[in-house]
Amino acid sequence: MSEIVLTEDCMRLISEFESLTGAGSRDCVIDERNSRIIFVVNPGEMGLAIGKKGQNVRLASKLTG
């Protein structure tokens, strides 16, 4: 099993994501090619991450550009 190394940017984004959604995140992937950030959330916390009617996804997208 390989070790996951989080960059400073990923740690900052995970902290902001967790504060915004209340869901825990294990990792994040910054995909510059497709202009997106992918968060790997803890098991059972997908609903928290998405939010009611997708409100957390929309807000996170707005905040991160």
Side-chain angles (χ1 to χ4, degrees):
M1 185 173 202
S2 64
E3 185 177 321
I4 297 174
V5 178
L6 295 175
T7 65
E8 198 171 305
D9 284 339
C10 274
M11 288 189 293
R12 180 183 52 80
L13 288 167
I14 287 172
S15 177
E16 290 175 10
F17 174 81
E18 290 178 346
S19 293
L20 172 73
T21 65
S25 178
R26 295 174 175 223
D27 193 10
C28 84
V29 178
I30 300 172
D31 180 4
E32 292 179 9
R33 179 187 284 177
N34 294 306
S35 300
R36 63 184 178 175
I37 302 169
I38 303 165
F39 291 96
V40 179
V41 299
N42 293 331
E45 296 185 356
M46 183 63 75
L48 280 174
I50 295 170
K52 189 172 183 175
K53 297 185 180 180
Q55 69 186 11
N56 290 342
V57 173
R58 284 191 298 279
L59 183 55
S61 179
K62 189 178 191 179
L63 293 174
T64 59

